Amino acid sequence: MIWEELETGLATLAADGLLRRRRTLDAPCGPEAVVDGRRALAFCSNDYLGLANHPAIVAAACDAAARWGVGSGASHAVSGHLRPHEEIEQRLAAFVGRERALYFATGYLANLAIVPALVDRHDAVFADRLNHASLIDAVLLSRAEHIRYPHGDTATLAERLKQSRARRKLILTDAVFSMDGDLAPLPELFELAERFDAWLVVDDAHGFGVLGPGGRGSIAQFALPDSPRLLLMGTLGKAAGVSGAFVAGDRRAIEWLMQRARSYIFTTASSPLLAAALLVGLDLIEQGEDRRSHLRRLIERLRSGLAALPWRLSPSSTAIQPLLIGGNEASVRLSEQLFSRGLWVPAIRPPTVPAGAARLRISLSAAHSDAHVDTLVAALRDCARRDRA
Ligand SMILES: *Cc1c(COP(=O)(O)O)cnc(C)c1O
């Protein structure tokens, strides 16, 4: 029976150290978490600017609930597109300097919209091997040929683009890789998109709000031109502190998504209070240079503090700082040792990362203090000493 097979499957996951366990928080998202009834210093969230519980955003959400209610009642195309949704789209387009933006309930849905709307089974997607799961699923849904190139390897990508006879080509990449923290070679990818007449779709979930002038993201950091072949996806549940996502680009591409993307059309519009909260979140991002420079200093502090450990820190200059451990069990053990000392750093295992590449994913936020980072550094040094002894 199917449920007995599931039981075997679950037992296999447990035996392989792959069972996921959720912890329940009893405090808002922030460095000082209350989790499973205990206090812990958290290095887990994607709340890179510390906005998730910002009083001005909370107040905007409350005001908007009073003004607009909570539910939107329908999909955007039917009757669920309220004024705050319209305003956030216009603000986002202006902020990232593209013709138009479309607001989505989540980044996962945005990615599922983009790829199948642009390519089908006559076409080919050229995807970085370390792309986020939502991008992989988007390609599967499109039925396009899925051509994966080694991480960041633009020479191999150029070769594969040259060989391809596909009708349409689409290059698909994370801007900041979510489990490694490194950046895609965006200028080279854009040059290849031009040379081979391809779309370039960039998922900036971890760059938006953090990188580039004014937090405008990775595209702005690399000063990529405003080209119709470039589509930008940004998420709003990470640095922007709320939830949702957007796709920005050429007005025809955005109109096409609105007309055709099934994950846009066949889902209820998210609450207007979230869009209203995001308007304030965008103001805080725009004025967030102090938060961003504090975050950059914390990254430096962590990296120099951990330089002498037996585990290697990935070459990342972003808020995502993975400590590479290797084995699943060893990663979980280290994560548990830290937790017993009141530090919460998640162990990331396959299938989120390749087999043998389990790690601790340390993520920093502007809400952390120097002392928070020093506490983590001291604990990891101590764990390393005990590991050797
Ligand atoms: C988090 C994430 C997403 C999904 O965004 P949600 O809004 O959480 O659904 C997509 N792509 C990348 C790279 C991400 O890290």
Side-chain angles (χ1 to χ4, degrees):
M1 282 296 125
I2 178 76
W3 43 89
E4 284 157 359
E5 290 168 24
L6 299 185
E7 208 168 295
T8 314
L10 288 169
T12 308
L13 287 179
D16 293 345
L18 290 176
L19 268 192
R20 291 162 188 264
R21 174 157 140 252
R22 297 180 306 178
R23 299 188 192 274
T24 304
L25 281 84
D26 285 302
C29 173
E32 283 161 15
V34 180
V35 46
D36 291 342
R38 306 179 32 187
R39 293 178 170 285
L41 189 52
F43 293 90
C44 317
S45 84
N46 305 308
D47 179 26
Y48 302 124
L49 297 181
L51 299 182
N53 188 33
H54 191 285
I57 300 183
V58 174
C62 293
D63 291 350
R67 168 77 176 80
W68 298 102
V70 175
S72 63
S75 65
H76 285 276
V78 176
S79 65
H81 190 67
L82 279 70
R83 180 61 57 192
H85 297 126
E86 182 61 25
E87 283 177 9
I88 193 65
E89 287 185 348
Q90 291 180 7
R91 272 293 303 280
L92 284 164
F95 183 62
V96 296
R98 310 304 308 279
E99 280 183 355
R100 194 174 161 196
L102 195 63
Y103 171 64
F104 283 79
T106 73
Y108 192 98
L109 289 176
N111 283 339
L112 292 191
I114 301 169
V115 181
L118 296 179
V119 293
D120 66 22
R121 62 196 170 79
H122 304 290
D123 307 326
V125 176
F126 300 80
D128 190 290
R129 195 161 271 292
L130 295 187
N131 276 352
H132 190 259
S134 59
L135 295 173
I136 296 170
D137 294 357
V139 181
L140 292 175
L141 197 57
S142 76
R143 299 197 189 91
E145 188 187 357
H146 199 177
I147 299 173
R148 300 176 83 189
Y149 57 89
H151 181 48
D153 181 349
T154 50
T156 302
L157 169 60
E159 210 41 54
R160 306 217 164 135
L161 282 161
K162 201 161 116 196
Q163 284 160 5
S164 172
R165 293 281 153 269
R167 187 187 61 173
R168 287 187 191 163
K169 303 181 176 108
L170 187 155
I171 302 171
L172 186 61
T173 188
D174 283 26
V176 177
F177 286 85
S178 53
M179 295 301 137
D180 294 76
D182 58 336
L183 297 172
L186 292 178
E188 291 86 345
L189 294 179
F190 182 75
E191 191 275 316
L192 289 174
E194 294 262 274
R195 191 174 350 142
F196 293 98
D197 190 24
W199 290 97
L200 174 60
V201 174
V202 175
D203 175 339
D204 202 21
H206 301 278
F208 182 76
V210 187
L211 300 180
R216 286 175 173 75
S218 309
I219 299 279
Q221 167 142 323
F222 286 108
L224 292 195
D226 178 14
S227 157
R229 67 174 72 255
L230 173 63
L231 277 185
L232 164 67
M233 194 287 275
T235 62
L236 302 167
K238 290 172 179 157
V242 185
S243 78
F246 68 93
V247 183
D250 178 77
R251 70 195 145 73
R252 293 154 295 186
I254 300 301
E255 180 67 16
W256 183 252
L257 286 186
M258 199 185 100
Q259 298 298 335
R260 301 301 300 172
R262 296 168 68 84
S263 68
Y264 184 75
I265 297 168
F266 298 108
T267 191
T268 300
S270 66
S271 172
L273 76 83
L274 299 176
L278 281 165
L279 287 167
V280 175
L282 267 194
D283 288 340
L284 291 169
I285 286 178
E286 219 165 351
Q287 304 151 13
E289 208 37 61
D290 289 352
R291 289 172 200 276
R292 283 185 286 275
S293 56
H294 176 57
L295 178 60
R296 284 192 294 269
R297 280 195 301 273
L298 293 177
I299 294 166
E300 284 302 309
R301 195 175 184 93
L302 179 81
R303 290 192 69 86
S304 57
L306 297 185
L309 287 187
W311 310 291
R312 196 167 60 81
L313 211 46
S314 282
S316 156
S317 60
T318 67
I320 302 167
Q321 291 289 327
L323 194 61
L324 300 173
I325 311 295
N328 300 340
E329 292 288 352
S331 304
V332 172
R333 201 167 347 107
L334 184 55
S335 174
E336 279 170 359
Q337 277 168 19
L338 290 173
F339 197 71
S340 68
R341 293 158 179 255
L343 288 153
W344 187 12
V345 187
I348 307 286
R349 292 160 288 171
T352 310
V353 293
R359 62 198 66 185
L360 292 192
R361 181 178 183 273
I362 301 169
S363 72
L364 293 172
S365 162
H368 286 121
S369 65
D370 289 357
H372 289 151
V373 169
D374 294 348
T375 305
L376 176 61
V377 167
L380 276 167
R381 284 186 182 160
D382 197 47
C383 289
R385 243 189 328 271
R386 281 159 201 269
D387 207 48
R388 258 183 244 130

